[in-house]
Amino acid sequence: MLVPFNSLPGNSRIWIYQSSRLITNTEKESIESAITTFLESWTAHDATLKAGFEILYDLFVVIGVDESFNNASGCSIDKQVNFMKMLGEKTGIDFFNRMRIAWMQNDQLLQNQLSEMTASISRGEITGEVFVFNNLVRTANEFKTSWKQPLKESWIQTVL
């Protein structure tokens, strides 16, 4: 059952898929249509899931499921991952490169490999004041409060 993403309760489970490149307007329409179709029929052990999604900054696909309605099972999560892999193959977009980091600098969205970003930090080209995206948030509440955070407060600090 598809619902507006912003109507999902705070304890809803969240998955964030970062695109390897910006999604074009034409691709966005196609991706939105495919995700809508998938979520309208997404189930866990034949139980309907209440889910929503957003595409943000033309870079992130965010999917959420209201587990107070029905829990997402291992099999249903596998269906979602396989769907996103298929969508990536169809569009030529890699949604699974977890070493690619996105950040906002001077109101510009940038992304690069983690190793290249840490080198830029070491050279002083990127400061702790830039905002990075934490794609590891797990709930809608975490998404609202901790998805976009200053680099100096992010998990990236642990790898520097």
Side-chain angles (χ1 to χ4, degrees), residues 24-87:
T24 68
N25 287 335
T26 303
E27 289 170 327
K28 188 174 182 178
E29 290 175 15
S30 174
I31 289 169
E32 287 174 337
S33 177
I35 295 172
T36 296
T37 300
F38 172 76
L39 293 182
E40 286 175 340
S41 62
W42 192 25
T43 61
H45 302 291
D46 295 324
T48 300
L49 294 174
K50 186 187 284 187
F53 77 97
E54 285 190 324
I55 298 176
L56 299 170
Y57 298 102
D58 294 328
L59 188 67
F60 303 96
V61 174
V62 185
I63 297 175
V65 64
D66 179 357
E67 290 195 306
S68 65
F69 182 76
N70 278 320
N71 285 332
S73 66
C75 292
S76 65
I77 295 168
D78 288 347
K79 287 179 196 174
Q80 180 198 131
V81 169
N82 289 333
F83 166 77
M84 289 302 296
K85 285 180 180 175
M86 179 273 311
L87 188 60

Side-chain angles (χ1 to χ4, degrees), residues 128-143:
E129 304 302 318
V130 303
F131 282 88
V132 296
F133 294 90
N134 176 7
N135 296 335
L136 302 175
V137 296
R138 298 185 55 149
T139 67
N141 279 340
E142 287 178 4
F143 178 75

